[in-house]
Amino acid sequence: MAKIKSNRTSTRKDVIISKAAILFREKGYSATSMRDLAEHVGVEAASLYNHISSKAEILQEICFRVATKFMTHIEEVEQSKKTEIEKVEAILRFHIKQMVDSYEEVYVSDREWKHLTDPYLSNMQGQRRAYRQRIGKIIEDGVQKGEIKKIDPSTAVLIMLHAVSGIESWHRSKKKIEGELLEENMVEILVGGLQK
């Protein structure tokens, strides 16, 4: 029987979660079975249960790992001495880098979180709402300080996050520009559009 190959920086559970993120993105959480995952990892389905208890546990791991990364980053940005427009730019750049470099996990966290069950579902809904509100507060503060045009903060947050979500199309593109150029173009359009 084959073994799950891990390395110094990742555990067998990490390998399973990483492979599951690819499958959840390609097939969707609901359509992916433990048998599919076992095949993708290259082991018997029973071997997976030595490392994880269920498919639901994998989704929880993916969603909350991503949420923790984003929450940790926004806390750092909020506590920084940056101007409000610089904070918006830092958040946007972080989002773009995550969508470029950790695409599967971020995609699954953004699209498949609705399959979580309570208490995880309610927790994730609360974190997502609070995260958007925190970005909105930065934009609102920027408007009050005269750094950002007079716009509705929640609309600005909605547009920014949907634009970043659209990076999915960039991943599928056959003629895609480099990730760094994508980032610079998006910052120019989105942050440049906010600046007074």
Side-chain angles (χ1 to χ4, degrees), residues 7-183:
N7 59 39
R8 288 185 188 145
T9 58
S10 63
T11 64
R12 288 183 175 130
K13 184 175 181 178
D14 291 333
V15 171
I16 293 167
I17 289 167
S18 177
K19 300 267 187 183
I22 294 166
L23 278 180
F24 291 171
R25 181 188 59 77
E26 289 173 354
K27 297 179 74 169
Y29 172 78
S30 296
T32 303
S33 68
M34 288 298 276
R35 186 182 304 273
D36 295 332
L37 181 54
E39 273 180 36
H40 199 65
V41 174
V43 296
E44 296 290 325
S47 302
L48 292 178
Y49 292 105
N50 293 329
H51 307 285
I52 48 140
S53 61
S54 65
K55 189 171 82 160
E57 181 193 346
I58 297 170
L59 184 61
Q60 290 159 22
E61 283 276 343
I62 293 168
C63 290
F64 287 99
R65 280 183 187 187
V66 170
T68 299
K69 267 198 240 181
F70 280 88
M71 286 300 200
T72 301
H73 182 260
I74 200 166
E75 282 167 20
E76 290 168 4
V77 169
E78 286 168 333
Q79 293 167 15
S80 73
K81 303 240 185 274
K82 296 177 188 295
T83 64
E84 305 310 313
I85 195 73
E86 288 170 342
K87 288 177 183 178
V88 172
E89 181 175 338
I91 291 165
L92 182 61
R93 285 186 185 279
F94 184 78
H95 271 263
I96 294 166
K97 282 188 171 87
Q98 292 302 306
M99 269 298 275
V100 170
D101 299 336
S102 302
Y103 174 53
E104 275 80 16
E105 291 87 356
V106 175
Y107 178 94
V108 169
S109 177
D110 190 45
R111 305 287 171 93
E112 301 292 325
W113 66 271
K114 295 173 189 96
H115 295 287
L116 293 167
T117 55
D118 275 324
Y120 305 102
L121 178 61
S122 299
N123 185 325
M124 183 57 69
Q125 284 173 318
Q127 283 195 47
R128 289 171 64 87
R129 187 171 34 255
Y131 186 79
R132 288 191 305 269
Q133 288 169 347
R134 288 166 83 168
I135 299 172
K137 176 75 169 81
I138 292 168
I139 293 170
E140 187 180 321
D141 291 348
V143 170
Q144 289 174 357
K145 292 177 181 176
E147 294 174 30
I148 295 175
K149 292 174 184 171
K150 279 195 170 185
I151 51 153
D152 175 56
S154 58
T155 303
V157 172
L158 181 75
I159 290 167
M160 277 177 50
L161 296 182
H162 278 283
V164 172
S165 181
I167 293 174
E168 171 196 354
S169 301
W170 174 82
H171 279 282
R172 289 194 317 260
S173 174
K174 291 189 180 6
K175 290 184 172 183
K176 61 183 169 190
I177 61 174
E178 292 296 317
E180 293 82 14
L181 185 54
L182 173 74
E183 180 182 331

